Amino acid sequence: MDLLPKTRREFSSSSYWETFFKRRGNKAFEWYGEYSTFCGLLAKYIKLTDEILIPGCGNSEMGSQMFDIGYKNITSIDISSNVINQMTQKNIKSRPDLKFLEMDLFNTSFNDNEFNVILDKGTLDAVYSEDTEENRLKVDNMFKEIVRLLRLGGRYICISLAQQFIAEKIIKYFSNEGWLTRVCLAQKDEEDDSSSDKNEDDKKLFNMPIFMFVLTKFKKLPNSKPIFESSFFESKIERHDSVSDLLSAITDLQNYALVKQNLRQGKTLEDQLCVTLYNSSLSSPRYTIYVVDGRGNRKFAIFIVPQGRETEWMFSTYEGRKQLHKSCNYERLLIVLLNRFHEYPSLDLVKKELSSKVLQLAPPNVDKQSPFLTLGESVSVRSKQYEGRSELSGGFVVEDVQIDNKLFRRLIFYNRPEVVQSEVLLKKVVKRSKKKHQKPVESYEVDHAHMTCSYYPSVIAGLLFVQDFLNKLDEKFDVLILDVDNKDHTLPFSSPPTAFIEDQLIHSYAQIVSQDGVFILNLATRCQENRDMVITRLKKHFQRVYYTCVDEQINEIVYCLPTKLKLDTNNEDFIKFIKNNLEEFKKRLQTIDNQYKKPLEELKLINIKSA
Ligand SMILES: C[S@@+](CC[C@H](N)C(=O)[O-])C[C@H]1O[C@@H](n2cnc3c(N)ncnc32)[C@H](O)[C@@H]1O
């Protein structure tokens, strides 16, 4: 069919519509779907007694169908005389009270406040088909006319594809007028279009989600805060802080539809793609799905990451996901993360919830029973222990997660949910009751013997630089450890923030560390130049600087000594010294607390180098 406008410009020309309806004849053409698709939602916003104007009615049957179910005050207008004649002829006998008038919406002959509802299906989209200066002026006129025609409390209901510029215009215009803005999802993009008999053009256009803007006329009050709402899931209504927030909620849905369309058409992704799926709780996505394409022996699989493991390198980083894709050996792998703030009772339930959604992201012609992969048998458990806000780092949560039968307690900052900020292992302790017949009480305690990061033992090893440190008392510190992460990701250092390694500050560290003490720094940067610059500064203030690199991480533990070590000959001697003293060191620490025993057994010193 050659009746859909070929270029967008044609949408807004009145001669186009004349030809369109002439060629189409009496057959109704419903933009964005029939009345039956929208009637449920429309019934919420339109009363049977309302005075309704349908601008740009075309030959849609929406007006006559509404009339038949009881809406008696409907006036339809269109700029095309052809279509108005057609519609009048069609309805004059069976629905004589249904009015059809040839009229330009920009300049109607109706009185002020004549209608309670203006119901627009596709007309704004047709008028504002391209974002040109000329069209913007036209739309301003159209909106001005709508403001004039509607009564207070009345509604402009506009069914639209909500292209970005259209959505922005309509939301900004009416919120500036003091009206309440709500955007509803009028029709989801089609779940599976294989059964549809639409042609390819239709499929592309109508596979996008269709929105219904509901703009309620309020009196413009000075200083009143505009209200922006969306209703995308069932009848749930969400408030938005700003126009841009509401716009991006719309764009997210549109992008998802586009992505699905591309993926279903068999396009291979050049890069990884991230899709989020919400349920009706809305505040945070229930699932985050990474789509990773590449070579593979089999077509398609879904990998479910158990809760708490999403922070692991394999799932939280681009490179890790690439690696996972390679080892799973599928052309397309979906990596699914289960997000905090949601409950996932079982793996089976997750699979059930996901099954239709993941198929939308599958390549064409895949088996509906595509394999679900995971680690272990379950989705694991995550439980929130505490939630708070820090002035510097924003919101955070302390949560317990079970991984491989071990229970960990973690601190996570919401602005970097993929990073575990701190972690301890919890161990079960069973305390016998003093009373005879009472059951023993089980509880959890922090297992101090567990060291989460591979660099912690190296930090502790720095204590060895301090000769006889347990017996010393001094105003100065024998050990100064600086292990501060950087919240500003634009800076080259992940640790510490640059302010901590200014020359002046390093000077102060040197001042407060005792003569045979040590300053231990966790230095992490991917930039060699910056790293060297810090080492140079440290060397300026300390007599000796050593460092050790930590396996697979960018962290370097740097040891800075105010004086030369007596044994300060070369690297080998130093390691020998550490090793020889380690036993003695362990013994001494054990006298303070038995719990230090284990970590020091794990202690491995790797590549200590002199800087
Ligand atoms: C996209 S069609 C929508 C038709 C119909 N509302 C539907 O749902 O199928 C746009 C309609 O707006 C009409 N139209 C375009 N400019 C108009 C104007 N300035 N005043 C009134 N109608 C106009 C066209 O003739 C056409 O019938």
Side-chain angles (χ1 to χ4, degrees):
M1 187 207 306
D2 189 25
L3 288 175
L4 277 170
K6 274 197 188 137
T7 66
R8 288 184 182 175
R9 200 178 288 279
E10 286 172 341
F11 265 115
S12 58
S13 86
S14 51
S15 62
Y16 170 79
W17 295 109
E18 286 292 3
T19 325
F20 179 91
F21 291 115
K22 213 183 237 167
R23 288 178 61 190
R24 194 165 170 91
N26 267 341
K27 225 168 130 209
F29 186 89
E30 294 288 353
W31 287 82
Y32 307 151
E34 296 185 359
Y35 172 62
S36 56
T37 311
F38 308 111
C39 62
L41 195 52
L42 286 174
K44 285 188 182 175
Y45 298 106
I46 313 177
K47 292 199 291 285
L48 290 178
T49 50
D50 279 339
E51 291 282 347
I52 304 165
L53 173 69
I54 301 183
C57 58
N59 63 4
S60 153
E61 288 177 347
M62 182 168 72
S64 49
Q65 286 170 350
M66 287 177 77
F67 185 86
D68 290 347
I69 62 163
Y71 294 94
K72 291 295 174 225
N73 310 311
I74 303 179
T75 306
S76 298
I77 62 168
D78 204 289
I79 202 162
S80 156
S81 55
N82 257 322
V83 84
I84 290 300
N85 287 338
Q86 231 182 67
M87 294 305 275
T88 313
Q89 293 309 316
K90 213 170 165 183
N91 290 286
I92 192 120
K93 281 199 186 124
S94 49
R95 303 175 188 93
D97 293 334
L98 199 58
K99 287 170 239 153
F100 289 96
L101 307 170
E102 181 188 335
M103 209 182 277
D104 185 350
L105 172 61
F106 304 132
N107 188 15
T108 70
S109 55
F110 302 117
N111 294 327
D112 294 0
N113 309 323
E114 199 162 330
F115 298 97
N116 307 86
V117 171
I118 297 182
L119 176 54
D120 164 349
K121 181 155 76 76
T123 303
L124 174 65
D125 285 7
V127 169
Y128 197 11
S129 55
E130 256 188 328
D131 192 19
T132 60
E133 189 53 42
E134 188 191 341
N135 282 348
R136 278 194 287 273
L137 284 175
K138 271 194 197 169
V139 174
D140 279 338
N141 281 339
M142 172 172 162
F143 287 170
K144 217 163 128 192
E145 191 66 356
I146 288 170
V147 174
R148 185 181 75 78
L149 296 179
L150 273 178
R151 292 176 202 156
L152 272 186
R155 291 185 168 122
Y156 172 39
I157 300 176
C158 175
I159 299 172
S160 159
L161 274 173
Q163 292 185 72
Q164 185 76 14
F165 61 91
I166 294 184
E168 189 172 346
K169 179 86 188 164
I170 192 168
I171 295 171
K172 279 191 175 160
Y173 189 97
F174 290 99
S175 60
N176 274 341
E177 291 290 320
W179 294 25
L180 182 137
T181 307
R182 179 176 294 171
V183 187
C184 309
L185 188 59
Q187 192 194 16
K188 286 189 195 141
D189 51 317
E190 289 183 16
E191 301 280 285
D192 179 5
D193 53 12
S194 54
S195 59
S196 157
D197 54 4
K198 284 176 183 163
N199 68 30
E200 283 309 308
D201 276 353
D202 284 8
K203 272 186 192 169
K204 267 185 208 145
L205 183 61
F206 294 107
N207 248 341
M208 294 301 287
I210 292 166
F211 295 90
M212 188 185 288
F213 292 89
V214 181
L215 303 138
T216 309
K217 183 171 181 176
F218 283 172
K219 210 171 186 170
K220 197 171 183 177
L221 296 171
N223 306 326
S224 64
K225 205 172 170 269
I227 297 175
F228 306 108
E229 293 174 339
S230 67
S231 172
F232 294 163
F233 294 90
E234 292 134 19
S235 49
K236 220 155 170 131
I237 292 174
E238 197 188 4
R239 279 266 164 113
H240 297 264
D241 293 336
S242 62
V243 178
S244 62
D245 193 28
L246 179 54
L247 282 174
S248 60
I250 297 173
T251 319
D252 281 351
L253 285 181
Q254 292 167 324
N255 285 346
Y256 181 54
L258 275 176
V259 161
K260 276 192 304 183
Q261 214 162 287
N262 283 340
L263 294 182
R264 296 297 284 148
Q265 282 165 5
K267 292 199 179 130
T268 305
L269 292 173
E270 284 177 9
D271 217 340
Q272 294 179 15
L273 181 103
C274 179
V275 170
T276 46
L277 297 180
Y278 287 74
N279 66 352
S280 54
S281 88
L282 284 176
S283 43
S284 72
R286 182 161 171 81
Y287 296 105
T288 302
I289 303 180
Y290 289 94
V291 188
V292 192
D293 277 2
R295 279 203 211 132
N297 282 346
R298 285 154 293 175
K299 270 224 140 129
F300 177 64
I302 305 110
F303 191 104
I304 298 175
V305 180
Q307 295 181 87
R309 301 200 63 162
E310 66 284 336
T311 50
E312 289 175 22
W313 178 83
M314 185 77 98
F315 314 116
S316 67
T317 66
Y318 181 87
E319 285 303 324
R321 289 188 292 267
K322 232 162 97 176
Q323 178 72 45
L324 179 66
H325 171 270
K326 203 170 154 198
S327 45
C328 290
N329 206 3
Y330 285 88
E331 281 177 19
R332 176 168 299 158
L333 184 69
L334 304 189
I335 303 169
V336 182
L337 310 188
L338 315 181
N339 294 319
R340 54 178 58 81
F341 314 123
H342 292 265
E343 303 252 325
Y344 305 91
S346 71
L347 189 58
D348 281 342
L349 191 119
V350 168
K351 288 182 191 170
K352 204 167 149 205
E353 268 187 359
L354 283 171
S355 53
S356 71
K357 290 287 165 203
V358 290
L359 275 181
Q360 294 173 5
L361 303 171
N365 311 321
V366 295
D367 186 356
K368 287 210 164 155
Q369 302 298 321
S370 297
F372 279 93
L373 319 171
T374 188
L375 303 162
E377 301 273 284
S378 76
V379 281
S380 199
V381 185
R382 183 201 317 262
S383 64
K384 182 164 81 178
Q385 302 299 321
Y386 184 80
E387 196 176 19
R389 245 197 112 66
S390 122
E391 225 172 86
L392 274 178
S393 310
F396 64 87
V397 65
V398 176
E399 62 189 17
D400 289 356
V401 284
Q402 189 129 27
I403 294 173
D404 294 338
N405 287 328
K406 286 184 181 160
L407 190 63
F408 293 94
R409 179 158 295 171
R410 291 172 168 176
L411 166 68
I412 309 263
F413 286 109
Y414 290 145
N415 58 9
R416 289 193 75 189
E418 72 288 0
V419 175
V420 178
Q421 197 66 34
S422 297
E423 178 183 272
V424 289
L425 179 68
L426 297 177
K427 60 179 179 192
K428 199 188 264 178
V429 266
V430 183
K431 282 189 186 139
R432 292 232 174 91
S433 172
K434 282 177 192 150
K435 290 182 188 156
K436 239 189 175 179
H437 298 295
Q438 261 182 4
K439 278 186 181 170
V441 185
E442 281 186 1
S443 63
Y444 283 91
E445 278 180 4
V446 172
D447 183 348
H448 292 282
H450 172 78
M451 290 220 175
T452 301
C453 292
S454 50
Y455 73 86
Y456 289 171
S458 299
V459 171
I460 292 182
L463 303 181
L464 289 167
F465 285 100
V466 185
Q467 326 259 316
D468 206 13
F469 88 103
L470 294 175
N471 299 324
K472 280 183 47 137
L473 267 178
D474 203 320
E475 299 96 56
K476 294 200 173 191
F477 295 97
D478 289 327
V479 185
L480 176 64
I481 300 175
L482 187 69
D483 181 13
V484 188
D485 80 325
N486 188 5
K487 304 278 183 257
D488 181 351
H489 305 302
T490 58
L491 296 176
F493 292 96
S494 354
S495 165
T498 31
F500 283 77
I501 35 180
E502 294 296 341
D503 196 64
Q504 190 57 38
L505 242 89
I506 295 179
H507 173 73
S508 315
Y509 304 147
Q511 294 299 302
I512 57 169
V513 173
S514 64
Q515 272 309 291
D516 37 7
V518 60
F519 166 51
I520 304 170
L521 167 71
N522 176 10
L523 179 65
T525 174
R526 292 194 186 276
C527 170
Q528 184 66 28
E529 221 172 278
N530 284 310
R531 180 253 177 214
D532 292 347
M533 182 260 299
V534 176
I535 297 289
T536 313
R537 273 190 205 160
L538 291 167
K539 280 165 79 176
K540 197 169 128 196
H541 297 285
F542 291 90
Q543 284 282 337
R544 281 291 176 269
V545 175
Y546 299 97
Y547 63 93
T548 172
C549 305
V550 185
D551 274 344
E552 289 174 17
Q553 298 189 10
I554 55 163
N555 301 58
E556 273 181 283
I557 305 303
V558 187
Y559 310 105
C560 310
L561 314 180
T563 41
K564 284 185 192 173
L565 281 177
K566 283 178 214 104
L567 55 107
D568 194 16
T569 46
N570 61 39
N571 191 28
E572 248 171 56
D573 280 355
F574 176 69
I575 292 188
K576 223 186 272 167
F577 162 79
I578 300 270
K579 281 189 177 152
N580 290 343
N581 284 276
L582 205 55
E583 280 309 310
E584 175 59 23
F585 184 64
K586 267 196 263 176
K587 265 187 232 150
R588 289 201 206 173
L589 282 179
Q590 277 167 40
T591 59
I592 312 176
D593 192 336
N594 230 359
Q595 71 204 11
Y596 286 103
K597 194 173 156 198
K598 266 198 194 157
L600 287 167
E601 274 164 7
E602 287 166 12
L603 189 144
K604 271 185 240 133
L605 276 172
I606 12 152
N607 301 331
I608 292 248
K609 291 175 189 150
S610 176

